[in-house]
């Protein structure tokens, strides 16, 4: 289908976890903002503990544009994204695919702007969050900026600050994504890594309508660690550098002790404080390096088990 057609087929892929109050409002907002498009929405229920799945089933029965799949348990946001993309690929009935959250902080009225950028030739249209004027904590601002900077430096893949999982991709990009069989799926890193033509558009997120964010500090740290380890081996080289620095410092101190002792300029007395400090420093470096190696070995172990990254427990009735 031509990019210029007004009946463009748009598939929304929406992971959700405990969003029963936001799901009906999401569909209502899509009805208002996506007039002129042949749009559908696929909700991926990530093991919600509230009535999200019952709401999705009801909305699907009432609206032919709404579909849903439900995980057997909580498998995580990135796996929910992966499942939605794989379901969309199996259906083959859209021209572009938009991933976004169910909490309506990703503005649906911004999608036509993203479509326009795609029509101009971009394969990936990435929405980049602007936080100016928003009431967010200093810790969140600094931690977010630090993550994007550290990830870009460690992986060699440039990731601009403010990038989230609000993006548009075309059918060819979807094919590339579903053919990547990473166990630790991290779409924010995969698409920049691919080098596909990308347009980055700034947007201002809405305030959450109902509920609270489910993206806790623990989940953010786990996602950051998974992304860094999945796209870079540079931490292994850092561990080598730390080991070499530790060796050189120990050697330099030994030479210093030897010189001042043989020269009779001073009497070196190591005592418990300096001895304990030295042992703890060297032990800390060793444990840090072993931890890095352990993470990579753990990733290899989980990859080799060959288990699926998610299990679908239910689907809405076929339309």
């Amino acid at each position: 289908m031509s990019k210029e057609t007004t009946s463009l087929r748009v598939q929304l892929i929406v992971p959700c976890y405990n969003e029963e109050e936001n799901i009906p409002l999401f569909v209502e907002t899509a009805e208002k903002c996506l007039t002129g498009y042949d749009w559908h929405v696929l909700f991926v229920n990530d093991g919600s503990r509230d009535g999200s799945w019952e709401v999705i089933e009801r909305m699907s029965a009432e609206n032919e544009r709404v579909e849903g799949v439900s995980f057997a348990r909580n498998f995580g946001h990135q796996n929910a994204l992966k499942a939605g993309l794989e379901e969309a690929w199996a259906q083959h009935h859209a021209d572009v695919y938009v991933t976004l959250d169910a909490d309506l902080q990703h503005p649906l009225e911004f999608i036509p702007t993203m479509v326009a950028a795609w029509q101009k030739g971009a394969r990936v249209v990435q929405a980049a969050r602007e936080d100016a004027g928003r009431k967010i904590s200093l810790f969140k601002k600094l931690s977010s900026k630090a993550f994007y900077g550290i990830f870009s430096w460690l992986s060699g893949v440039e990731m601009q600050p403010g990038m989230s999982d609000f993006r548009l991709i075309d059918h060819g990009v979807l094919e590339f994504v579903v053919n990547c069989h990473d166990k630790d799926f991290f779409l924010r890193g995969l698409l920049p890594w691919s080098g596909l033509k990308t347009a980055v558009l700034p947007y201002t997120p809405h305030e959450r309508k109902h509920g609270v964010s489910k993206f806790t500090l623990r989940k953010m740290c786990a996602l950051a660690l998974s992304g860094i380890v999945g796209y870079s081996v540079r931490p292994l080289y850092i561990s080598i550098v730390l080991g070499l620095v530790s060796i050189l410092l120990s050697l330099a101190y030994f030479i210093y002790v030897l010189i001042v002792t043989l020269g009779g300029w001073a009497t070196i007395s190591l005592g418990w404080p300096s001895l304990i400090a030295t042992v703890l420093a060297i032990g800390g470096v060793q444990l840090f390096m072993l931890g890095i190696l352990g993470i990579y070995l753990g990733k290899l172990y989980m990859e080799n088990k060959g288990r699926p990254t998610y299990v679908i427990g239910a689907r809405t009735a076929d339309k």
Side-chain angles (χ1 to χ4, degrees), residues 11-319:
Q11 175 77 65
L12 307 179
I13 298 169
V14 187
C16 49
Y17 177 71
N18 294 347
E19 298 287 359
E20 63 176 334
E21 294 179 296
N22 287 317
I23 291 168
L25 185 57
F26 183 100
V27 176
E28 179 184 336
T29 306
E31 294 276 10
K32 296 176 181 177
C33 296
L34 300 179
T35 56
Y37 298 113
D38 178 16
W39 64 272
H40 292 79
V41 57
L42 174 64
F43 290 106
V44 183
N45 177 43
D46 186 19
S48 296
R49 298 181 178 181
D50 63 357
S52 293
W53 179 238
E54 289 73 18
V55 173
I56 293 170
E57 287 186 306
R58 187 185 75 245
M59 298 296 296
S60 178
E62 296 173 353
N63 191 330
E64 63 179 5
R65 296 183 184 273
V66 179
E67 296 177 80
V69 296
S70 182
F71 284 171
R73 64 169 178 83
N74 180 262
F75 283 94
H77 182 270
Q78 292 299 300
N79 285 325
L81 269 181
K82 182 180 182 181
L85 292 167
E86 290 177 345
E87 287 287 318
W89 172 252
Q91 294 172 6
H92 285 282
H93 65 46
D95 298 302
V96 295
Y97 305 83
V98 180
T99 61
L100 69 167
D101 293 339
D103 57 15
L104 292 169
Q105 289 190 287
H106 295 158
L108 277 83
E109 65 271 20
F110 193 67
I111 292 177
T113 303
M114 300 170 77
V115 170
W118 171 74
Q119 289 174 329
K120 293 178 181 178
R123 303 289 307 282
V124 178
V125 182
Q126 175 68 59
R129 184 187 68 247
E130 286 192 331
D131 292 328
R134 296 183 65 218
K135 294 182 179 179
I136 58 176
S137 67
L138 179 61
F139 173 77
K140 185 170 180 60
K141 286 183 180 180
L142 294 177
S143 61
S144 177
K145 186 176 180 180
F147 165 70
Y148 290 114
I150 292 171
F151 180 89
S152 299
W153 177 70
L154 286 176
S155 66
V157 176
E158 184 177 358
M159 185 185 292
Q160 297 188 23
M163 285 192 178
S164 64
D165 287 307
F166 184 25
R167 70 179 61 80
L168 178 149
I169 62 176
D170 64 22
H171 197 75
V173 177
L174 177 64
E175 181 178 12
F176 156 73
V177 170
V178 298
N179 285 324
C180 291
H181 302 295
D182 295 358
K183 292 290 184 181
D184 283 322
F185 189 71
F186 185 57
L187 197 55
R188 298 186 203 183
L190 181 61
L191 292 177
W193 173 88
S194 70
L196 293 165
K197 186 176 181 181
T198 301
V200 179
L201 304 180
Y203 80 99
T204 301
H206 293 322
E207 295 300 321
R208 169 180 275 272
K209 297 296 182 182
H210 300 286
V212 296
S213 174
K214 315 305 186 299
F215 209 51
T216 63
L217 178 60
R218 180 182 63 82
K219 290 182 178 180
M220 286 191 291
C221 291
L223 180 64
L225 183 61
S226 176
I228 290 171
V229 173
Y231 285 85
S232 175
V233 294
R234 191 170 288 182
L236 295 174
Y237 293 99
I238 292 175
S239 69
I240 293 174
V241 171
L242 287 174
L244 289 174
V245 170
S246 178
I247 291 171
L248 290 174
L249 289 175
S250 299
L251 182 61
Y253 186 68
F254 173 76
I255 293 173
Y256 166 73
V257 170
L258 188 63
I259 290 174
V260 298
T261 301
L262 293 178
W265 295 303
T267 301
I268 303 298
S269 177
L270 289 176
W272 280 109
S274 57
L275 180 61
I276 293 299
T278 303
V279 170
L280 290 176
I282 295 175
V285 170
Q286 290 175 333
L287 289 174
F288 180 78
M289 292 186 290
L290 285 173
I292 292 175
L293 289 171
I295 290 172
Y296 279 95
L297 287 174
K299 297 291 184 183
L300 289 173
Y301 173 70
M302 296 305 295
E303 289 278 347
N304 288 330
K305 291 178 85 66
R307 292 176 182 170
T309 53
Y310 59 86
V311 177
I312 292 179
R315 300 174 187 271
T316 53
D318 294 334
K319 299 297 175 69

